[in-house]
Amino acid sequence: MITYVALAFGAAVLLALGCAVASAIYRRPQRGVLLLAGLVPLHGLLFLVPLPGVVSGWKEGLVVFTVLCAWLRRPRHVRGSTPRVFMPWWPAAVVFVVFGSVSAFATFGIVGVFGIKVTFFYILLVVVMWLAPFDATDRDHLVSVLMGMGVFTSAVGIAQLLAGPAALVSLGYEYGTQVRTSGGLLRTFSTFNLPFPFGLYVMLALLVGGAVALADPHRRRNMLFLCATPMMVVAMSSSIVRGAILGLAVGAIYLIAVRFRYLAAPLALAALAVAVTVPFVPRITSVFFSSSSLGQRGDGWANIIASILIHPFGTGLGSSGSAADRISTAEGVAFTQSGLSTNYQPDNYYVKALLELGPIGLWAVIALLVTSLLWCTRLSRALPGRDGALALGVGASIVAAMFASLVSTYFEIFPIDVYFWLLLGVVGCAAAQHESFSGRSPSGRAEAEYRPTFASS
């Protein structure tokens, strides 16, 4: 009897909390986006909680609910002319979405929606940014969330490294699934479900948060974040994700080249110290510089090139990677492509795009990345203060994504896909707001007075 009462009380508390959160998001949809940004790094913890599988769809439900609220609460009146924001990545994004969606439905029928969901779902966050733009306070809160969660997840990763694999298995994680080792070294995964999203998320936090912090190092939040960066780099490295290490390196070079040139000498000394030290640690050398991994990639890429000759428009969006697993489960069958293993798991996003969508899809991905990078770089010089630093950090994250995609399916890794579209939308809000207010810093409720028009020219 006491158990049923406790369960009923808990359910009532959760219902009341849910209603309060829903009401807050309805009144201001930007809160839904900030809530999503703060909670997605914790999604992997659901594995430890005995909850129904449907609960894992909370993030999609939150996005859809936020989009609906943003539509219902969109501004009815716009004072003056609406600024046209030059967003040169839109044509490539449209080609990518339209061509990919047609490919998915043409290849798999109605179940192709799973491939579309995995690849494009979080572009809805850009729609939210259009309907309910972030103001200066929202953008600052987003940076604080990214910084805070980056530090927190890094601390958890260090704790896992100290605890060891046996302690993690005793908590309920599975060895070989979440708990993995490489060369005898534990690959930390923090609050995520795998090492890959953990390493890439910390990389993202270091680049975006680092750019904002370096632009104003005297602010207490920024100073604390900069003090925590060595610990974050160690935590990221402990995940043994090559894409994260490569992305952080090229992202840091981008930040130095564009704005923070005084960091060139310290970074060069740090790189020299690593280059001198690593060869004397055989275990680390064998883990990060394995030749067999590169050989396996080469064999897979050769088979994909042969496949493209047969399928010039690709084998269909969702025919490889995690999307293929979803579609296979829905259809009850597995895919076998010419020269490729069943449900092929690419380790290069460009190869994945070429395999699934052919040269057109590969062009769309590269054009999206290049145009968004050029756009963010231009805005980093044009926007004042924090917004310029934020645009610079997002540009660094795009550079990192371009290189990390060479060794991972970067844009298919949750929550990296969430943050890619979210950050592009937020930078667009900053550009629109500064154009609308002719350079004046907007007030906390400025979003009610304007709505940006996204344009390609």
Side-chain angles (χ1 to χ4, degrees), residues 278-290:
V278 167
F280 294 98
V281 187
R283 179 178 291 187
I284 295 179
T285 304
S286 63
V287 169
F288 284 98
F289 301 99
S290 171

Side-chain angles (χ1 to χ4, degrees), residues 89-360:
W89 52 270
W90 263 104
V94 169
V95 171
F96 191 28
V97 173
V98 173
F99 185 69
S101 300
V102 171
S103 173
F105 284 126
T107 305
F108 303 110
I110 189 63
V111 296
V113 72
F114 291 101
I116 296 172
K117 184 265 175 187
V118 169
T119 310
F120 304 125
F121 181 78
Y122 291 105
I123 201 173
L124 289 175
L125 293 173
V126 180
V127 177
V128 175
M129 295 294 98
W130 176 58
L131 296 171
F134 269 26
D135 60 25
T137 302
D138 295 320
R139 295 192 292 274
D140 192 55
H141 286 166
L142 177 64
V143 173
S144 296
V145 167
L146 185 57
M147 287 181 173
M149 293 308 298
V151 173
F152 173 74
T153 55
S154 296
V156 174
I158 295 295
Q160 289 179 344
L161 191 64
L162 297 175
L168 296 175
V169 172
S170 67
L171 290 176
Y173 290 113
E174 296 179 356
Y175 191 86
T177 304
Q178 292 85 18
V179 182
R180 303 183 179 195
T181 59
S182 180
L185 299 175
L186 172 66
R187 302 186 65 179
T188 57
F189 54 93
S190 186
T191 58
F192 299 81
N193 61 341
L194 290 171
F196 310 103
F198 171 46
L200 293 171
Y201 180 80
V202 176
M203 175 203 76
L204 184 69
L206 283 167
L207 292 173
V208 178
V212 176
L214 288 170
D216 184 15
H218 300 294
R219 184 178 176 183
R220 180 178 300 177
R221 179 200 69 180
N222 298 345
M223 179 179 63
L224 292 174
F225 180 80
L226 291 175
C227 291
T229 51
M231 180 269 292
M232 295 177 66
V233 172
V234 171
M236 185 199 73
S237 302
S238 69
S239 67
I240 313 180
V241 177
R242 298 176 182 87
I245 297 172
L246 177 62
L248 180 63
V250 297
I253 293 172
Y254 169 85
L255 292 177
I256 291 172
V258 176
R259 183 165 181 177
F260 305 111
R261 292 182 175 84
Y262 63 89
L263 293 177
L267 180 64
L269 290 176
L272 179 61
V274 171
V276 171
T277 304
V278 167
F280 294 98
V281 187
R283 179 178 291 187
I284 295 179
T285 304
S286 63
V287 169
F288 284 98
F289 301 99
S290 171
S291 60
S292 61
S293 176
L294 183 59
Q296 292 171 1
R297 286 190 177 95
D299 294 339
W301 297 347
N303 291 330
I304 289 172
I305 293 174
S307 176
I308 293 302
L309 298 177
I310 302 174
H311 305 283
F313 294 103
T315 55
L317 183 75
S319 59
S320 65
S322 60
D325 295 334
R326 304 281 184 89
I327 296 176
S328 296
T329 301
E331 291 190 326
V333 297
F335 308 137
T336 303
Q337 285 122 8
S338 175
L340 300 175
S341 61
T342 302
N343 285 12
Y344 177 64
Q345 301 293 325
D347 48 18
N348 180 308
Y349 197 79
Y350 304 113
V351 170
K352 175 182 170 64
L354 184 63
L355 170 65
E356 294 186 349
L357 299 176
I360 296 177

